[in-house]
Amino acid sequence: MNRHTPGRTFGQITELGAGDGYFLLRVAQKISPGWPGVNAMLLDHQIIVTPATLAAFASLGWHAETVVADVFDWPQTSDAGEVVIANLFLHHFEGARLVELLQLISQRAKLFIAIEPRRASWPLFCSRLLWAISLQRGHAP
């Protein structure tokens, strides 16, 4: 974020498909000294963010809130996010739905960061073998 916006901070960061909020918390732990008082919006279909995670944001001087919404309803549920992050989220969408989502993001974000696996045959094949990891750890798939 600092590389793309040198010398500038933002007041809000929205994570799409935030899950337990731990990813954005790790980001906050790294950048909070230079980015004080950020509002972190954790958007997901369900709330699984723990009070301890919200308290960890607060200890950094950030305000974190959970928003339960479908990502396509997000524009009606909140203020625009200045920075929008999608961590391992966009791969759930294809074709027209992905285009629609990216258009919504472009209308709302001054900076958009996406962390995604490469959409190609080899990574797709490998992703279908992830169940083998759980077998090595003694868990059923």
Side-chain angles (χ1 to χ4, degrees), residues 1-2 13 15 21-42 53-64 85:
M1 287 190 292
N2 290 330
I13 298 175
E15 183 181 3
Y22 186 68
F23 173 78
L24 189 54
L25 176 59
R26 286 183 27 226
V27 170
Q29 289 167 337
K30 291 180 187 265
I31 69 170
S32 62
W35 291 54
V38 172
N39 292 316
M41 180 186 302
L42 305 166
T53 300
L54 295 175
F57 277 103
S59 73
L60 299 170
W62 285 31
H63 170 74
I85 297 175

Side-chain angles (χ1 to χ4, degrees), residues 49-71:
V49 178
T50 65
T53 300
L54 295 175
F57 277 103
S59 73
L60 299 170
W62 285 31
H63 170 74
E65 67 173 309
T66 56
V67 174
V68 176
D70 184 279
V71 71

Side-chain angles (χ1 to χ4, degrees), residues 41-122:
M41 180 186 302
L42 305 166
L43 187 137
D44 207 307
H45 270 193
Q46 58 186 340
I47 295 178
I48 58 173
V49 178
T50 65
T53 300
L54 295 175
F57 277 103
S59 73
L60 299 170
W62 285 31
H63 170 74
E65 67 173 309
T66 56
V67 174
V68 176
D70 184 279
V71 71
F72 293 98
D73 295 330
W74 160 49
Q76 291 79 37
T77 62
S78 65
D79 294 332
E82 294 179 298
V83 175
V84 175
I85 297 175
N87 179 38
L88 301 175
F89 181 69
L90 296 178
H91 66 274
H92 295 289
F93 305 95
E94 293 184 11
R97 289 300 271 179
L98 179 59
V99 169
E100 180 183 356
L101 178 56
L102 293 173
Q103 287 173 337
L104 287 172
I105 293 167
S106 73
Q107 294 167 4
R108 301 179 59 84
K110 293 181 177 129
L111 176 64
F112 174 53
I113 299 168
I115 299 112
E116 281 295 316
R118 184 172 176 203
R119 291 184 181 221
S121 300
W122 179 246

